[in-house]
Amino acid sequence: MGEIFPGRVDFLRFLTDVHFAYQPIVRMTDHRKIGCELLVRGPLVKALRDPEHLFAHAHTLDILLETDYLIFLQAMAHRPRRDRAFINILAPTVERFALRIYEEFEDIDLDYLVLELTNRLPPSGWTELAEVFEPLRARGLSLALDDVGERPADMEAAALLQPDFMKIDVSCMERVGAGEAGRHKVERICRMAERIGAQVVAKGVETEEHARILADLGVSLGQGFLFGKPEERRIVYY
């Protein structure tokens, strides 16, 4: 017999039990850590433990942005204080909760915070979103554009948003060692990053050969099992 998926009230209550895994992001040249990404892990309900299932169920309940915002708040509360923290948030979530995010950041040192924007759901416009971030970036906040490389609109999004980091989609990484097509795509991303003053982060780096090829192509930062697996830390709430 399958598990019963929770309704809205129970689902939102379960979100107080999410926790995070911390995966290092390093320089390709010397493997020195420059920060870490906080990867959400679902609550102790089997059907929701996988983040993809967690967000898929939130979408089914029509509370995807509310869920994303609550998880963002949890990540903010448990980010490392002496390390650059990459925290994921959907672009439409930023638009919906912009005023609350301003309040959340009011008394926070933003120099070590990177908001990692996923562009699976397109916002009303990247130019408008960039304007939302202007006062926060003036205080030190950095932006990362995630999963770059698979969609034709990714380069346009990068040009309009002007992120500080561009993170290459894992599917591109899988093709880097297989032939010229994958390498050309990475080179294109690196050229765009150079034009806008961003650093390129390669996700899913698992071998020294992969790291060498990527560094030769112009990728400056890496993330993957070669540099460290996500380290889970349980959070206890009182």
Side-chain angles (χ1 to χ4, degrees), residues 81-150:
R81 295 301 193 273
R82 298 181 180 179
D83 203 357
R84 181 180 281 127
F86 287 68
I87 295 179
N88 289 275
I89 190 168
L90 293 169
T93 303
V94 175
E95 292 182 340
R96 170 81 67 85
F97 297 100
L99 292 179
R100 295 188 189 180
I101 291 173
Y102 283 149
E103 293 174 358
E104 178 71 18
F105 289 167
E106 188 172 349
D107 299 317
I108 291 177
D109 181 359
L110 300 180
D111 289 335
Y112 289 93
L113 182 62
V114 183
L115 284 193
E116 189 167 317
L117 299 170
T118 57
N119 53 359
R120 296 175 185 173
L121 297 177
S124 61
W126 289 108
T127 301
E128 292 83 353
L129 191 65
E131 292 174 355
V132 170
F133 282 117
E134 278 183 6
L136 298 174
R137 298 184 82 174
R139 290 178 46 208
L141 178 72
S142 296
L143 297 181
L145 187 62
D146 196 18
D147 296 334
V148 175
E150 285 304 290

Side-chain angles (χ1 to χ4, degrees), residues 2-225:
E3 289 192 69
I4 299 175
F5 284 84
R8 286 190 179 193
V9 174
D10 285 338
F11 181 82
L12 293 172
R13 178 171 56 83
F14 286 144
L15 292 181
T16 62
D17 195 36
V18 300
H19 59 290
F20 298 91
Y22 302 72
Q23 187 169 35
I25 297 173
V26 307
R27 291 194 310 218
M28 298 292 277
T29 52
D30 56 10
H31 295 191
R32 182 174 179 178
K33 182 180 175 183
I34 64 97
C36 65
E37 180 180 354
L38 277 69
L39 304 170
V40 67
R41 298 292 183 255
L44 298 179
V45 177
K46 185 177 180 181
L48 301 177
R49 208 165 294 164
D50 187 304
E52 289 191 12
H53 294 163
L54 182 75
F55 284 105
H57 190 56
H59 182 72
T60 300
L61 295 173
D62 197 27
I63 50 173
L64 177 60
L65 300 189
E66 291 82 356
T67 297
D68 188 47
Y69 179 66
L70 289 175
I71 291 175
F72 159 75
L73 293 180
Q74 300 273 33
M76 284 293 298
H78 297 98
R79 73 191 188 282
R81 295 301 193 273
R82 298 181 180 179
D83 203 357
R84 181 180 281 127
F86 287 68
I87 295 179
N88 289 275
I89 190 168
L90 293 169
T93 303
V94 175
E95 292 182 340
R96 170 81 67 85
F97 297 100
L99 292 179
R100 295 188 189 180
I101 291 173
Y102 283 149
E103 293 174 358
E104 178 71 18
F105 289 167
E106 188 172 349
D107 299 317
I108 291 177
D109 181 359
L110 300 180
D111 289 335
Y112 289 93
L113 182 62
V114 183
L115 284 193
E116 189 167 317
L117 299 170
T118 57
N119 53 359
R120 296 175 185 173
L121 297 177
S124 61
W126 289 108
T127 301
E128 292 83 353
L129 191 65
E131 292 174 355
V132 170
F133 282 117
E134 278 183 6
L136 298 174
R137 298 184 82 174
R139 290 178 46 208
L141 178 72
S142 296
L143 297 181
L145 187 62
D146 196 18
D147 296 334
V148 175
E150 285 304 290
R151 291 167 290 272
D154 287 350
M155 295 299 106
E156 179 183 3
L160 294 174
L161 187 64
Q162 300 275 305
D164 303 282
F165 301 90
M166 294 174 63
K167 301 190 75 172
I168 304 177
D169 189 88
V170 172
S171 61
C172 292
M173 294 299 95
E174 295 170 351
R175 295 196 291 273
V176 163
E180 291 300 318
R183 300 185 188 190
H184 287 326
K185 185 166 287 189
V186 172
E187 287 177 330
R188 181 166 170 256
I189 294 170
C190 288
R191 286 196 298 270
M192 169 59 78
E194 185 176 3
R195 284 199 293 272
I196 65 175
Q199 296 187 73
V200 178
V201 184
K203 300 192 300 183
V205 183
E206 297 187 356
T207 67
E208 290 286 358
E209 181 184 7
H210 241 170
R212 178 186 58 77
I213 293 172
L214 291 165
D216 289 343
L217 293 174
V219 176
S220 56
L221 302 173
Q223 178 180 354
F225 285 2

